[in-house]
Amino acid sequence: MTLPLDFVIPDGWTAVDPGDSGAVFVAVHPVPGEEFTPNITVSVQQRPDEASIDAIAAEAVERLSRTLAGLEVLSRRDVGDPAAPAVMQLLRLRTGEGTELIQTQVHLTVPGATPEDRLVLELACTAAPATARALSPGFQRFVASVHVRQHEGKAQ
């Protein structure tokens, strides 16, 4: 799926090939001496159903919990507006190897021409706890910069 997204990559982050991650965009922020490389991912889902953005955020937690040794939702709050609802959630993750991570997820609704055309963007920043707080302002700027490019042709 191609979606004409524009965004600004924060300083210190480098875009990399998403490979088979399921994401449409991945950026990394190498931190010397850390085992885990912080990353930002952007995923897109077409959601023609009537699931609320809160339900979609809960689905993301359920999906992640199947691949991790531990997952705790630290907070979840609405951050969008009625026309384009959004949810931010902060998660504590524990891998099978015992690595503790913090993931901030933002689920953004992109309304379509019809309800069946609705898309949901999942923006996530994952980092070790000691690094997550320092990277948070850059991720917040990244999220604020994301927007869907309007069609650039003549009116049809």
Side-chain angles (χ1 to χ4, degrees):
M1 170 184 313
T2 58
L3 184 67
L5 287 179
D6 283 329
F7 46 81
V8 177
I9 302 170
D11 291 340
W13 293 84
T14 304
V16 297
D17 183 349
D20 62 358
S21 67
V24 296
F25 174 79
V26 175
V28 296
H29 188 287
V31 177
E34 280 204 21
E35 290 181 32
F36 184 83
T37 301
N39 61 74
I40 290 174
T41 60
V42 177
S43 302
V44 181
Q45 289 183 9
Q46 186 162 12
R47 293 300 300 244
D49 60 359
E50 294 184 17
S52 70
I53 197 71
D54 288 311
I56 292 168
E59 288 172 10
V61 169
E62 173 62 29
R63 185 178 63 246
L64 261 179
S65 71
R66 290 187 292 237
T67 64
L68 295 165
L71 186 151
E72 178 184 359
V73 178
L74 301 175
S75 67
R76 178 182 290 160
R77 62 185 167 95
D78 294 331
V79 293
D81 60 48
V87 168
M88 188 282 300
Q89 56 189 9
L90 185 64
L91 312 174
R92 183 187 333 263
L93 315 175
R94 190 175 69 256
T95 68
E97 296 80 31
T99 303
E100 297 283 335
L101 300 170
I102 297 293
Q103 183 174 86
T104 304
Q105 294 181 348
V106 179
H107 299 268
L108 302 171
T109 303
V110 181
T114 67
E116 294 77 31
D117 295 331
R118 174 178 74 147
L119 298 175
V120 174
L121 305 180
E122 179 181 299
L123 315 173
C125 180
T126 309
T131 308
R133 185 178 303 274
L135 296 178
S136 181
F139 181 62
Q140 290 173 5
R141 285 190 298 276
F142 173 79
V143 170
S145 77
V146 173
H147 67 278
V148 177
R149 236 178 291 129
Q150 298 302 311
H151 180 68
E152 297 174 357
K154 292 181 181 177
Q156 299 291 320

